[in-house]
Amino acid sequence: MDSKSLGASHRLIDLAQRLRLFKPVSPPGNNDDNSIEDPAVHQNGFKLIPQELGASGAELAANPIAKPPERVGRKRAAVLICLFEDEEGDLRVILTKRSSTLSTHSGDVSLPGGKTDEGDANDIETALREAKEEIGLDPSLVNVPAVLEPIYTKSGMVVVPVIGILPDKRAFKPIPNTAEVEAIFDAPLAMFLKNENRRAEEREWMGDKYLLHFFDYEAENGKYVIWALTAGILIRTATLVYQQHPDFQERRPKFWTRSC
């Protein structure tokens, strides 16, 4: 296979380098993640390693960032925000529709991911392992430049979003785990900053009023509604990647940023 077929675009390489400098915002009083003052160390606990990235997708995938230390304690999960470029050069994200037979969130759209196993060294390993189990994504194809702020659910679960870059989409041959995944599709990342095909519902929990966002999307293999936590993570990701605020009021739940 020639270098062009494995090549990552300059845009993906620049994006990976920029995301490596990202430092998650830690809410006041939140001690779930390490607080490190050294600017050469990521707030989630891993060092930012300078790299000379060429145009090769294989080189990009083979140089992942150093990984954070193991986390113990509360229930924890990680999801993979896997980004790639389409033929027009637009960024897209891989999503799944959960199986209708699952006991929780059946039929919902989600990012590949799941609960931390005892053998997982860190959140990155959890996200990549779960993506392989759910959709057949080989971890060696993915470069991980950043980990976002952890999100707390009402049930007390900590969900850690992991950003991954897939330099060569053609190398990914989806293999859905039918016990967990009903469909695999992708959507443009930029749509999560736009008002088109979006609606919102006001909800309240423990006196906190917030908005749940719903994005309607039609892919080749069906119509999907991307909402709640998944939509919130993708709004956050799009805001970071494109360095601009959404065209709508976000008003995120306060419990997402604190222990419940």
Side-chain angles (χ1 to χ4, degrees):
M1 189 174 291
D2 61 26
S3 60
K4 183 178 181 181
S5 63
L6 287 173
S9 71
H10 290 296
R11 180 184 183 186
L12 286 181
I13 294 169
D14 290 343
L15 176 62
Q17 291 174 329
R18 177 162 57 84
L19 288 175
R20 289 180 193 281
L21 302 177
F22 169 72
K23 291 187 178 181
V25 177
S26 182
N30 182 350
N31 296 318
D32 185 68
D33 287 301
N34 290 341
S35 178
I36 302 175
E37 296 181 357
D38 185 349
V41 180
H42 193 289
Q43 193 170 0
N44 269 336
F46 54 85
K47 294 182 179 179
L48 297 172
I49 301 178
Q51 297 182 26
E52 295 297 331
L53 294 179
S56 166
E59 185 178 7
L60 183 60
N63 287 278
I65 55 176
K67 297 180 179 180
E70 183 178 2
R71 298 280 186 255
V72 294
R74 67 173 66 249
K75 295 183 293 183
R76 199 173 186 93
V79 295
L80 181 66
I81 308 158
C82 189
L83 305 177
F84 68 93
E85 278 189 323
D86 63 16
E87 294 179 355
E88 286 72 42
D90 295 322
L91 288 174
R92 302 182 71 87
V93 59
I94 297 174
L95 294 160
T96 69
K97 181 178 181 180
R98 291 169 58 85
S99 171
S100 58
T101 62
L102 292 173
S103 59
T104 58
H105 305 291
S106 59
D108 282 356
V109 170
S110 67
L111 292 154
K115 295 180 181 178
T116 301
D117 280 354
E118 289 185 5
D120 293 341
N122 46 64
D123 300 314
I124 295 173
E125 189 169 308
T126 299
L128 293 176
R129 175 185 54 76
E130 285 285 338
K132 183 176 182 180
E133 292 176 3
E134 290 184 1
I135 63 176
L137 178 59
D138 187 336
S140 68
L141 299 176
V142 183
N143 173 262
V144 178
V147 177
L148 301 184
E149 303 89 354
I151 298 175
Y152 300 85
T153 69
K154 292 178 182 178
S155 66
M157 175 75 73
V158 181
V159 179
V160 181
V162 175
I163 297 182
I165 292 178
L166 181 62
D168 185 9
K169 175 60 163 57
R170 292 167 297 181
F172 170 43
K173 309 299 181 185
I175 305 175
N177 179 346
T178 55
E180 299 183 42
V181 175
E182 184 175 310
I184 303 170
F185 68 102
D186 56 76
L189 183 64
M191 71 177 279
F192 298 100
L193 295 177
K194 300 176 181 178
N195 255 323
E196 290 86 347
N197 302 314
R198 184 199 67 89
R199 62 188 188 280
E201 294 180 7
E202 186 176 70
R203 303 286 178 89
E204 183 174 351
W205 192 72
M206 296 182 66
D208 172 40
K209 292 184 178 181
Y210 59 92
L211 294 178
L212 277 186
H213 298 277
F214 299 75
F215 294 86
D216 297 307
Y217 183 68
E218 185 170 356
E220 292 181 358
N221 59 348
K223 296 181 179 180
Y224 303 96
V225 179
I226 306 162
W227 69 295
L229 187 64
T230 299
I233 291 172
L234 292 173
I235 293 170
R236 175 73 177 112
T237 303
T239 300
L240 175 63
V241 168
Y242 292 105
Q243 297 183 302
Q244 65 182 67
H245 294 293
D247 294 337
F248 48 85
Q249 181 186 21
E250 192 173 358
R251 210 193 325 163
R252 296 162 66 91
K254 290 182 180 178
F255 61 79
W256 279 2
T257 57
R258 67 179 179 226
S259 177
C260 298

